[in-house]
Amino acid sequence: MRLRLVVTFVVVALISAVTATALAYRDARTAVLQRTQNAAVNDLRERVGVVAADVDLPPDERTLARFASKVSEGIGARIVVARYQDLSATSDTLAETEGRITAELRAAVRAGGGARFQRVEWRGEPYLVVGLPVTYADGDRRTSGLEVFAITGLRAERDDTAALLDSVQAGIVPVVVLAAVLALLAAGTVLRPVRKLGRATRELATGDLGSRVAVRGHDELADLARTFNETADALQASDAELRAQEAKARRFVADVSHELRTPLAAMTMVATVLEEDADQLPPDAARAARTVGAETARLSRLVDDLMEISRFDAKAVRLNASVTDLADTVRASLALRGWTDRVTAELLEGVRTVVDRRRVDVIVANLVGNALRHGAPPVTVTLAVDDGGESGDGGEWVVLEVADHGPGLAPEARERVFDRFYKADTARTRSTGTDSGDRGDSGDGGGQGSGLGMAIALENARLHGGMIEVGQRPSGGAVFTLRLPLRTGEEGE
């Protein structure tokens, strides 16, 4: 914008200067030539009026030459040509006059009607030629047949106008430079508030809601700055209110989850006792005892998940990282939940990296648990190392892929599978009362999930500096890929 403003100023100044120069040159040239023409005509008319009274008509060649010389002496030694019918005489016998007195001018003078003049170019030099018919002094003002032509050089006038043009042209450069300087000053004055407003907008976009601009003056830019400040104030107030509400919600979830743990512990203990003695109870009571046990366990998992997600929201989660053999960790996670016979594991041995073993176990439990509940066998778990060729970032990554051969996930479900409490097939889950039916289920075990498991898995992956991606196998089935940076030193997070 600065460049466009400067260029506009300079172009306008240049056009104005050139136009003013052209007009000044034209007017000055016209004035100089007009003054010279008027002086030449008046001088010739007055001198002819004085000298012609002593000329006898018709004149001979000698008389005509003397007449031309006297007229020339009286008008500043200009070249004078006197003509009478076929006779012609020149005040300067060596001067060539035929090329400077044109046939058009002779015809105009012969026609009468007063003095006539014409500017001509002869041998590269400008001349003014004035023609005048000599009339009788009686009342009818008849022409006598005697014609007088005075030739005046215009070199001085040409040089004067040329010098004027040069001086005016030389003044264009300072005018353009001054215009550029003024344009820069104006651009700085106009664009400085715009730059400040742009800087404040970028700061606001990056999260600095306290960014403001100073309001100066009462022009449109001041109104814009004032509107920006008002918008920023409103946005900051809304953000503060939302943050307060979010903090209250997180605190409420954490408090409720914490308060539920004590009665849940008692309920779990009672439910465990009832399940152990269910075989000794009547069929209806046994079924009720097992249902209470399953639902209590599910509620306990939900409370644990809520407390875990609230710790992530409060940024109170820390890694207990150490160098870990990932193949051993994955095998232990599968064995702990009794999935070893249900899962095909293709694990690269000797992959050691710095991770929190417990949190990696949570990620594996969620990914494999979902594949077992919602996919179709075989479920495969593959552990490999990517040297950066696939990711394109040049770093080394540990890649854990969990794939099944089930129906997979719809595109809209893949986009939301990591959302909290998202369940892709809630209706089927609740109607059957058996399998979870949501690809966002948490960890191990059967029953309905909380819808927080995949969100917790993703948060744990991010805590390690990694990610989880979801895709679809060409032959059918969902593929979840965990990518963790390969760190071989004793690094904590």
Side-chain angles (χ1 to χ4, degrees), residues 183-231:
L184 288 173
L185 295 176
T189 302
V190 173
L191 297 181
R192 190 176 299 111
V194 176
R195 287 197 300 271
K196 291 181 179 179
L197 186 60
R199 189 183 309 115
T201 303
R202 288 190 294 272
E203 292 173 354
L204 194 67
T206 57
D208 183 8
L209 300 183
S211 178
R212 299 293 185 275
V213 292
V215 179
R216 293 186 177 89
H218 302 281
D219 55 7
E220 289 80 0
L221 289 175
D223 293 339
L224 182 60
R226 193 175 296 107
T227 302
F228 172 83
N229 290 341
E230 293 173 355
T231 303

Side-chain angles (χ1 to χ4, degrees), residues 40 43-44 47-48 70-80 150:
D43 290 347
L44 181 62
R47 186 59 181 170
V48 168
K70 288 184 178 181
V71 172
S72 175
E73 292 172 358
I75 59 175
R78 298 187 183 101
I79 300 174
V80 175

Side-chain angles (χ1 to χ4, degrees), residues 11-200:
V11 170
V12 171
L14 185 61
I15 293 175
S16 301
V18 170
T19 303
T21 299
L23 293 176
Y25 173 74
R26 186 196 65 181
D27 293 343
R29 182 173 180 273
T30 301
V32 170
L33 294 177
Q34 188 68 43
R35 183 175 64 249
T36 302
Q37 290 167 185
N38 292 340
V41 171
N42 291 335
D43 290 347
L44 181 62
R45 184 181 289 118
E46 291 177 2
R47 186 59 181 170
V48 168
V50 173
V51 177
D54 299 330
V55 178
D56 295 329
L57 296 178
D60 55 17
E61 187 172 348
R62 183 178 180 181
T63 301
L64 201 61
R66 188 169 56 250
F67 171 73
S69 297
K70 288 184 178 181
V71 172
S72 175
E73 292 172 358
I75 59 175
R78 298 187 183 101
I79 300 174
V80 175
V81 178
R83 299 175 63 89
Y84 185 82
Q85 296 180 0
D86 295 332
L87 296 178
S88 176
T90 305
S91 61
D92 185 354
T93 57
L94 300 178
E96 183 179 347
T97 60
E98 289 299 323
R100 286 178 275 188
I101 302 174
T102 64
E104 292 83 2
L105 182 60
R106 290 194 191 104
V109 172
R110 189 176 298 116
R116 294 288 186 270
F117 63 86
Q118 186 180 38
R119 290 193 296 273
V120 296
E121 189 83 14
W122 185 70
R123 294 181 180 177
E125 296 291 335
Y127 292 92
L128 174 66
V129 183
V130 180
L132 180 68
V134 179
T135 61
Y136 291 107
D138 53 11
D140 59 9
R141 309 297 292 176
R142 291 178 296 112
T143 58
S144 63
L146 180 61
E147 302 167 355
V148 183
F149 297 91
I151 302 174
T152 304
L154 295 178
R155 175 183 292 181
E157 287 76 6
R158 182 193 63 184
D159 294 343
D160 290 342
T161 54
L164 175 63
L165 179 61
D166 291 339
S167 63
V168 175
Q169 287 178 339
I172 292 178
V173 175
V175 168
V176 173
V177 172
L178 180 61
V181 172
L182 293 177
L184 288 173
L185 295 176
T189 302
V190 173
L191 297 181
R192 190 176 299 111
V194 176
R195 287 197 300 271
K196 291 181 179 179
L197 186 60
R199 189 183 309 115

Side-chain angles (χ1 to χ4, degrees), residues 410-426:
E412 60 273 12
R414 288 199 296 270
E415 294 177 0
R416 299 188 56 194
V417 69
F418 296 107
D419 291 351
R420 298 177 184 182
F421 299 106
Y422 175 72
K423 297 183 179 182
D425 192 10
T426 306

Side-chain angles (χ1 to χ4, degrees), residues 40-41 46 48 52 64 66 93 129 232 245 249 292 294 299 313 339 370 372 384 392 480 486 489 491:
V41 171
E46 291 177 2
V48 168
L64 201 61
R66 188 169 56 250
T93 57
V129 183
Q245 292 178 356
V292 169
L299 182 59
D313 290 340
W339 293 340
N370 271 327
L372 290 172
F480 286 86
L486 181 61
E491 304 176 43

Side-chain angles (χ1 to χ4, degrees), residues 366-391:
N366 277 283
L367 297 182
V368 177
N370 271 327
L372 290 172
R373 281 190 298 274
H374 310 300
V379 173
T380 60
V381 178
T382 305
L383 177 66
V385 174
D386 178 13
D387 60 1
E390 295 183 8
S391 60

Side-chain angles (χ1 to χ4, degrees), residues 68 264 478:
L264 269 176

